[in-house]
Amino acid sequence: MVRLLIVGPQGSGKGTQGVRIAEAFGVPVVSTGDVFRANVVEGTELGVQVKEIIDAGSLVPDELTSAVVRDRLSQPDAADGFLLDGYPRNVGQVLHLDQFLAGRDESLDAVIALVVPRDESIERLHKRAVDQGRSDDSEAVIANRLAIYESETAPILGVYGTRGIVDEIDGVGELDTVTDRIFAALDARGLVRSS
Ligand code: ADP
């Protein structure tokens, strides 16, 4: 039973690492970006509401995002743990999540902060734009997302840092090397993997 959050700039590899960690601990990944994109593809009411915001690389309003996460975390598969990816993304969302988890007598066990220099993330995002053609991977939108990361998301590490739950992990290197660094940090906290 483990409750984790992975944080990192766009292009830090947090999506890939998040899936690996969640698998090792036997918990679901809860990725707000994935939920929003799936809704856009399916053309749901939520999808219609968020499409333009996502395409501009801006943040979906907190109330809407937090409602989506509360819903998702209330599903049975998240009862015994989860790995959050992409939420919380600003200090307001941290407070929402705190409140929700406190209502269940829960709290986060660890926050994995992937550290990748700006130049390296930009290079990786350009490559992904070519490989995957994500609609929010254009040059101007990438710049907007990284700027929002710096101004809104990075500060959440200060909040979690005062709680002593942040593990800063060097995100530069082979995928497996980075995964091993994350496992080592979580091992050191006594968090036990199921596989
Ligand atoms: P990335 O981290 O590469 O920007 P994500 O898949 O995490 O990609 O998110 C894609 C988009 O979804 C974001 O640019 C934003 O518009 C929206 N989004 C995702 N998570 C949140 C969140 N917690 N709060 C507000 N908007 C969000």
Side-chain angles (χ1 to χ4, degrees), residues 152-163:
E152 304 225 12
T153 307
I156 77 173
L157 294 174
V159 177
Y160 286 126
T162 62
R163 301 181 193 175

Side-chain angles (χ1 to χ4, degrees), residues 8-11 14 31-34 36-37 50 53-62 65-66 69 85-90 93 125 128 134 136-137 141 145-146 148-149:
Q10 289 73 13
K14 76 182 160 61
S31 158
T32 40
D34 285 352
F36 289 143
R37 276 187 293 276
V50 302
I53 300 172
I54 290 178
D55 283 349
S58 303
L59 292 190
V60 173
D62 285 354
T65 307
S66 293
V69 173
D85 169 3
Y87 181 95
R89 220 179 181 87
N90 60 29
Q93 293 180 5
L125 286 168
R128 184 170 82 184
R134 237 174 75 168
D136 58 352
D137 274 347
V141 175
R145 281 156 59 217
L146 282 171
I148 293 176
Y149 180 81

